[in-house]
Amino acid sequence: MALEFTRSPEPTLGVEVELQLVDRSTKNLVAGAVLLIEDADREPDITLKAELTQAIVEINTEICRDVRQAGESLGRQLTKLRDLAAHRGLQIAVSGTHPFQNWHDQKIYPDERHLAILEKFQWLARRWNTYGMHVHVGVKSGDRAVHIMNVLVNYIPHLIALSGSSPYWGGTDTGLVSCREAVLESFPTGGLPYFLPDWKEFEKYFETLQATGAIQSIKDIYWDIRPHFDFGTIEVRVCDGLPSLWETLAMAALVQSLVVWIDDQFQKGKRPSQIHMQHYWLAPENKWQAVRYGLDGQIILPEEGERRVIRDEIVRLVEILKPVAADLRCTDELEGVTEILRRGNGAMRQRAVFSKEKSLTAVVDSLIGELSAEPTRTASNDSR
């Protein structure tokens, strides 16, 4: 039976953010999700969702017309969540991993879906205490979603390098910018998506896995990017959780602009040369460069036959996307990408704090502070 892709007439936006629940005194993770979700169910203007462990809660925007509306939704919910957490003696923070949590100690959320994940994946599931940011952009058809996914594979290094905020695992510096990505790669349906020529091939892939019991729903495909046919979106899942709201909005603006730009090229009959098997052969190496070295990683561009520094490629990409961002009314938010290049990504800033303070507790404090600070970027008129 054919899968129906729910058509999205406009490039609407949805953003999901996974948050750490932190003890006010110890700064370690706390299994507080069950009580916080119960508290939130009694409150207006906030909806909390459970994730695999009880040290995570997720907030989602509604379907938004632009990044500004998404920012208003996230800001409102973060304010409410901060108050609810404080009543429970908790604080909230965002980064790809908590710097010194012990994954052995984490409790699985006690509902049917998450207990089934534990039963199936065992040790892999126990380790899966990571925090990401997902961006949904509305797409008009399944074929267009698959095309966009194929091209977006080339920009996975850019997104990891900008969002990388998980250098620490269990109190140890991993040497990576995003050890979260290394954890997710271990799942059978995790990591880079397969090359698929069109929507029919995705249907065959999905139906084969579902018919054999390998997956139950689209939620069980953990690719870095996936077409979400129920929502009518392309869902970009590769980003680590970003420590501040302004960074989250910068990444949302980048993803939305990038999706619209790729789709526009497709509609004009300009099938980018990026859809070439050499790009898929090199995608694991290019992704690794971002996971390991972040903004200083060097990706391989087959057309030029040489490596380019990811930081420089991001600068070029932002220039290309500026006209698209203007049409989407997110010019100022896209400029936040340049601000990340100037300040450094989350992993770089965490390491700077540790270098100065010699304390991972101080690193957690810095993350709490970044999330609670008022946004430092002001909107320009043309982005509103």
Side-chain angles (χ1 to χ4, degrees), residues 222-295:
Y222 307 139
W223 287 346
D224 296 332
I225 307 163
R226 69 186 181 192
H228 202 302
F229 51 84
D230 288 341
F231 296 163
T233 64
I234 190 79
E235 181 185 3
V236 176
R237 303 164 45 82
V238 75
C239 295
D240 276 8
L242 291 112
S244 62
L245 179 56
W246 70 265
E247 286 174 288
T248 298
L249 300 182
M251 292 304 297
L254 178 63
V255 170
Q256 188 186 32
S257 300
L258 188 53
V259 167
V260 170
W261 175 68
I262 293 169
D263 192 37
D264 183 59
Q265 296 296 303
F266 177 65
Q267 292 309 301
K268 291 177 179 177
K270 299 178 180 179
R271 289 180 174 267
S273 60
Q274 291 100 317
I275 303 181
H276 191 283
M277 288 313 298
Q278 279 189 332
H279 288 271
Y280 275 81
W281 299 338
L282 295 170
E285 166 64 15
N286 286 344
K287 180 179 177 181
W288 171 250
Q289 285 286 315
V291 167
R292 170 66 178 89
Y293 302 106
L295 296 169

